[in-house]
Amino acid sequence: MLLKGNVGHDTWWKNIAEMGTPIIDCKGDKCTVTFFWRDPEGNEESSSTSAVYIEVNCITDHHKSEPETLTRVTGTDVWYWQTELLSDWHGTYQFIPVTSDYLPLLIRVIGTSYNIQQMKQNHRQWWRSILPFSVADPFNILSPKYCIWGQSRSHLYLPNAEYHNIWKIWDASETAQTLPYKNNRSLLASLQWKSQLLGNERTVWVFETQNSHSDLQSDKPLVLLLDGEIWAEYMPIFSALQQLTEESKLAPAFYVFVNNTSPSNRQVDFGCNSSFWQAIKDELLLDVNQRFNHRVSLKKRAVVGQSLGGLAAMYAGLSGLGMFSHVLCQSGSFWWPDSSLMSQWMKADKSVKEDAWLTTEVLNSNIANVNTHIVMQVGDQEKRLLALNHHFFKSLVKTHHKVSFTEYCGGHDQICWREGLVYFLLQYLTVPTLIANKRTTIL
């Protein structure tokens, strides 16, 4: 019905803007989702836009030779794309409008004389070349607009997806989401960690949440978040943490956001690197405790990581350093250090599959910490990681670790991770034992 009548007229677009996009029509546990993009240059005769690609996290496949594109309604400025999703799906999407200079045809023609691997490399380079053209959906009325993350992408929560109220408040903010909730009971410090053990320097943010009863409280829990720049700058979560604390839903705590020095160093630091974690223990955490007058708990400390950072968090929690009582591992990269294992474990057959390094170490009891409380989360759309995470979870259960496993409806996505982070904190910062939440949890 939306593509009939005065499609593309100002009144039609006004109606679309009032409804908000994408348009969702649900029947049972499935929803038809229709995305719209308005060409600022008008119809096909006046516009330089030759294609509008859409990237829906872990739903569309940009590895295909012809990624998903919106369709233009002839003679109008309307582009649209439709798909079907489960009613509890949540995640990220973005539009990528390009001119004819950036169409993939030339890349494919140049690559035809090469082998398949070279063609894949050409395609990967082309995809990366158009990513800077990514734009958010201006008609998405729920997605955050005032943070770096929200400038090039939008989020979508279908009706049955978990959408914590704190994120609804955060997303609706009409001010720049860069500073913590303004009051006199929170403290944010940015420091430069100059590591002698690692021979480098990086930014670290330390945020102390407080409520009216916790001023100068001692023995506060600590939460260390890897890929700290994401949570501190791209999607700053300070105000959400402080508000939950003021509402007495989270206990007051210290949050340490550890930045990466570079993408290449991230691969080194997060690759089950004992030197990195020794430096965290002997340098960073000691410095943080001293800065806050030794008020940081020595027993209640959590580490949080996603993707390769999830692998690193798991390694830190299981290692013999004894730094952390709790681990949140989201979408862990349990293929490391051999990325070909992802293809192996994607196969549904019963063929014998190789164990990655950390899995082998756990199964052989070379690395273990049965006193650590471990929470694993992974999306059911993460085809490259789902089976690997299931297998690692079973390895932990087999070796008598304290672990819970949650599979959510979504992908390898910051939006999904922020939901899981809040549910983890609501457990960790209220009671010392794991509590099952309403998510699909396997124990």
Side-chain angles (χ1 to χ4, degrees):
M1 294 296 292
L2 290 169
L3 296 174
K4 295 181 180 180
N6 61 344
V7 176
H9 290 199
D10 286 344
T11 53
W12 185 87
W13 277 115
K14 182 180 179 181
N15 184 41
I16 292 292
E18 289 174 351
M19 289 189 293
T21 55
I23 306 300
I24 302 167
D25 180 22
C26 295
K27 293 180 181 179
D29 63 350
K30 293 184 179 180
C31 298
T32 299
V33 183
T34 307
F35 299 84
F36 289 99
W37 183 75
R38 188 175 192 179
D39 193 327
E41 296 179 312
N43 63 24
E44 62 270 27
E45 293 185 3
S46 59
S47 175
S48 62
T49 299
S50 295
V52 181
Y53 297 99
I54 183 168
E55 171 79 342
V56 184
N57 188 285
C58 287
I59 299 297
T60 57
D61 183 6
H62 63 258
H63 298 96
K64 296 193 306 183
S65 59
E66 296 184 5
E68 298 291 347
T69 58
L70 279 68
T71 299
R72 183 194 283 275
V73 178
T74 304
T76 75
D77 58 359
V78 178
W79 293 78
Y80 74 96
W81 184 75
Q82 194 172 81
T83 191
E84 187 176 79
L85 298 169
L86 292 174
S87 62
D88 58 346
W89 186 89
H90 59 311
T92 299
Y93 68 96
Q94 55 192 349
F95 300 130
I96 312 175
V98 299
T99 64
S100 58
D101 293 336
Y102 287 91
L103 293 177
L105 179 60
L106 180 62
I107 302 297
R108 296 203 302 273
V109 171
I110 292 175
T112 52
S113 62
Y114 299 160
N115 59 35
I116 295 177
Q117 192 61 38
Q118 183 62 53
M119 292 178 67
K120 288 182 178 179
Q121 180 64 26
N122 288 345
H123 182 80
R124 188 179 301 112
Q125 291 175 354
W126 165 75
W127 181 256
R128 289 177 177 174
S129 75
I130 69 171
L131 284 178
F133 302 125
S134 299
V135 294
D137 182 352
F139 297 111
N140 185 320
I141 58 180
L142 298 178
S143 197
K145 306 290 193 302
Y146 300 95
C147 63
I148 296 174
W149 180 93
Q151 293 173 8
S152 62
R153 68 204 76 194
S154 301
H155 71 48
L156 171 61
Y157 285 83
L158 291 183
N160 293 331
E162 290 180 351
Y163 190 4
H164 196 281
N165 189 59
I166 194 63
W167 298 126
K168 293 178 182 179
I169 296 171
W170 192 92
D171 291 342
S173 173
E174 295 184 358
T175 58
Q177 293 146 323
T178 55
L179 296 175
Y181 190 76
K182 290 184 178 180
N183 60 69
N184 59 4
R185 294 197 300 274
S186 62
L187 179 63
L188 173 67
S190 174
L191 57 95
Q192 290 300 117
W193 173 28
K194 298 179 180 179
S195 173
Q196 294 183 347
L197 291 175
L198 300 177
N200 56 33
E201 180 178 344
R202 72 187 74 206
T203 302
V204 174
W205 298 267
V206 182
F207 183 53
E208 180 182 9
T209 57
Q210 297 184 0
N211 58 33
S212 58
H213 308 292
S214 66
D215 292 349
L216 300 179
Q217 173 186 332
S218 61
D219 203 36
K220 273 190 176 183
L222 177 141
V223 182
L224 186 143
L225 297 97
L226 300 173
D227 291 313
E229 65 276 14
I230 293 176
W231 302 109
E233 292 187 330
Y234 291 92
M235 185 184 282
I237 60 173
F238 306 118
S239 61
L241 297 174
Q242 177 58 33
Q243 184 167 339
L244 288 171
T245 304
E246 290 192 346
E247 294 172 355
S248 298
K249 294 176 181 176
L250 293 180
F254 292 103
Y255 297 86
V256 180
F257 303 81
V258 182
N259 196 7
N260 296 304
T261 57
S262 70
S264 58
N265 279 351
R266 179 180 183 272
Q267 301 295 315
V268 175
D269 291 342
F270 292 177
C272 298
N273 185 340
S274 59
S275 298
F276 174 72
W277 290 107
Q278 195 69 55
I280 293 279
K281 180 179 181 180
D282 293 347
E283 296 178 344
L284 178 61
L285 294 185
L286 283 179
D287 184 25
V288 169
N289 201 17
Q290 290 174 358
R291 285 174 180 267
F292 289 92
N293 299 318
H294 302 280
R295 293 188 291 117
V296 180
S297 173
L298 297 178
K299 294 181 179 180
K300 195 166 186 179
R301 298 181 175 186
V303 59
V304 175
Q306 299 81 33
S307 195
L308 194 60
L311 173 84
M314 184 68 74
Y315 174 77
L318 294 175
S319 72
L321 295 175
M323 284 186 290
F324 301 106
S325 58
H326 292 70
V327 172
L328 172 58
C329 171
Q330 299 178 295
S331 306
S333 296
F334 293 111
W335 50 264
W336 183 90
D338 183 1
S339 60
S340 69
L341 293 184
M342 286 187 282
S343 298
Q344 273 192 41
W345 284 88
M346 283 176 65
K347 296 177 182 178
D349 58 43
K350 296 183 179 180
S351 60
V352 177
K353 299 175 176 65
E354 296 178 60
D355 289 331
W357 182 84
L358 188 58
T359 307
T360 301
E361 292 296 291
V362 168
L363 289 173
N364 291 336
S365 299
N366 294 329
I367 181 170
N369 190 341
V370 295
N371 295 317
T372 302
H373 296 274
I374 300 169
V375 174
M376 295 180 66
Q377 301 170 356
V378 67
D380 60 7
Q381 300 298 315
E382 296 190 74
K383 299 177 180 64
R384 294 159 63 87
L385 292 176
L386 186 57
L388 282 164
N389 274 261
H390 272 285
H391 181 56
F392 192 83
F393 165 68
K394 292 175 182 177
S395 301
L396 290 175
V397 171
K398 187 176 181 179
T399 50
H400 310 293
H401 286 85
K402 300 174 184 177
V403 58
S404 71
F405 188 98
T406 297
E407 187 177 314
Y408 56 82
C409 187
H412 203 73
D413 199 316
Q414 196 73 23
I415 289 299
C416 301
W417 294 335
R418 72 174 187 173
E419 295 294 333
L421 174 61
V422 164
Y423 282 105
F424 169 77
L425 292 176
L426 289 172
Q427 298 171 24
Y428 163 63
L429 292 179
T430 52
V431 292
T433 56
L434 293 175
I435 302 175
N437 56 46
K438 66 176 182 177
R439 294 178 151 212
T440 304
T441 303
I442 306 169
L443 291 173

